[in-house]
Amino acid sequence: MTIFALSTGPGISGIAIIRVSGVETKKVIKLLTNGTIPEPRIATLKKINKINSSELIDEGIILWFPGPESYTGEDMAEIHVHGSKAVIDALHASISKIENCRMAEPGEFTRLAFQNGKINLLKAESIADLISAETEIQRQQAIKIMSGKSADKFNELRGKLLKILSNVEAKIDFPDEDLPDDILKEIKKNSNYVLQNIEKILDDQKVGERIREGFKITILGPTNAGKSSLLNCLSNREAAIVSEIAGTTRDVIETHLNIDGYPVIVSDTAGIRESKSEIEKKGIKLSLNRADEADLKLIVVDAKNLVISDVLKGLLDQNAILVINKLDLLEEDIDPEIKKLNHVLISIKENLNIDQLILKIKKNLKNKFIKNDNILITRERHRQHLKQCLNHLKSFNEKNEVDDFDKAAEDLRLATRNLGMIVGKVDVEEILDSIFNDFCIGK
């Protein structure tokens, strides 16, 4: 089946690109242009007509990519036309009339690229991440994964496991022959190397997932300190209701923001105070739960009433910034003990020192999470496969110590399979190739 779809964004634009992939691609081009197929990978201006008609749809560029040298690995074409809804609809309607042609499903072109061996699963995921990236740090992470750094590392570790597995399989196939000492030492060395590398990769504070999904920032503090105003200030919009009436915010209000290139999810919470209202108590409980889940806490207090409750003092740890609001109303210097805390003085009303607060937020996240560029895990799927691989590898090492090769081999197969599933590669033939290359079986 040949698929087609609009590959550029919907809506009016200067240019729209319709992508076609499959065995009927040549036929689609011929029928639309009433002419010959363009030279491969050369932009060619063509008149594009309705199927079985001389009625002109538009004049545009045709790019022809014969398989397998194409993005999907199949015959593929891109049709560049003017980006009006009428032109796109007319083109889609014409292509759909051609036998064995249908609209593509979401992600189907990239899925074909993966199935046809043009890209691995990590690169397919990074393409999706790049398309959805909203901040600079998200774009950078997607590009790094696309470059193949993660895939290279996982394939390297998998290659070492395949090497071990070929040795173990040989021992099972030839039980009367002892493995040489140097091979036994190599098995132990490689298994420990892979195990230690996976443990190091997993010990990453889930930075990759945080960058993809957004760092969690929770705004906390007493009532009327300016928490909702701070959310609105950071959002540059009225995301939360602001009122002089204490306890206006009862539920958690979330907004996704780009703070100086960092993706964050900022939560405005109910004011923390003693309350007899059951609804407000539930709101305060939600606030404290969000504080536990947060990557960074912004504890907002009023400069005129600078009393920090015991509950808030308990939240002022290394993952918190004390935000002293209403600086414009401050008549005397703040307490020296408070000055010792990680704090910033601001005035939301007068827009004072907001840039300093943003700088502190960014610095805190960078110091805590972005310590190096060696981020290999960007999805929970990767993490779960690595954890399973680690468990099977530990089990292999335990069984290998007592020379229980049959059971040890199964753990090793499962460990190898889980590593392979990260990049989308699971192929038992590789084990056989390794055996025949490294052992003279027929000797």
Side-chain angles (χ1 to χ4, degrees), residues 320-339:
I321 298 172
L322 178 63
V323 182
I324 303 172
N325 186 30
K326 305 181 184 179
L327 168 63
D328 53 306
L329 301 178
L330 191 64
E331 295 176 353
E332 57 185 40
D333 204 8
I334 62 174
D335 190 316
E337 290 301 312
I338 291 177
K339 276 188 176 181

Side-chain angles (χ1 to χ4, degrees), residues 114 119-126 381 421-425:
F114 166 66
I119 58 173
N120 60 47
L121 203 51
L122 283 173
K123 187 163 185 179
E125 289 173 334
S126 67
R381 180 184 76 82
M421 288 174 77
I422 295 174
V423 293
K425 184 192 290 184

Side-chain angles (χ1 to χ4, degrees), residues 8 29 32 34 38 47 51 62 98 102 122 142 146 152 154 157 169 190 220 236 243 251 256 290 305 321 350 400 440:
T8 45
I29 296 172
L32 286 174
N34 295 322
K47 292 186 184 298
I51 297 294
I62 304 286
I98 301 171
R102 64 166 175 82
L122 283 173
M146 279 183 70
D152 289 346
F154 293 132
L157 297 177
E169 294 276 10
N190 282 336
L220 301 131
N236 287 320
S243 169
D251 206 348
H256 291 247
R290 284 301 176 96
N305 184 27
I321 298 172
E350 300 296 329
N400 194 37
C440 298

Side-chain angles (χ1 to χ4, degrees), residues 21 68 71-74 109-119:
S21 180
Y71 176 68
T72 60
E74 303 178 330
F109 289 100
T110 303
R111 183 173 178 174
L112 282 171
F114 166 66
Q115 290 174 335
N116 291 328
K118 304 300 290 185
I119 58 173

Side-chain angles (χ1 to χ4, degrees), residues 175-190:
D176 296 332
E177 295 186 19
D178 291 331
L179 287 173
D181 288 341
D182 60 331
I183 289 180
L184 289 171
K185 287 179 182 176
E186 194 69 16
I187 287 174
K188 191 168 185 178
K189 178 185 172 184
N190 282 336

Side-chain angles (χ1 to χ4, degrees), residues 130 133-143 211 258 260-263 362:
L130 187 61
E134 295 181 347
T135 69
E136 177 62 11
I137 196 170
Q138 288 174 326
R139 183 196 67 79
Q140 288 174 356
Q141 177 167 283
I143 289 293
I211 289 173
N258 177 350
D260 201 16
Y262 281 64
K362 185 176 178 180

Side-chain angles (χ1 to χ4, degrees), residues 1-4 20-26 28 74-75 95 98-104:
M1 184 64 72
T2 296
I3 59 171
F4 65 93
V20 184
S21 180
V23 293
E24 304 292 346
T25 304
K26 269 189 177 182
V28 170
E74 303 178 330
D75 284 352
I95 299 173
I98 301 171
E99 192 176 357
N100 296 323
C101 290
R102 64 166 175 82
M103 286 286 287

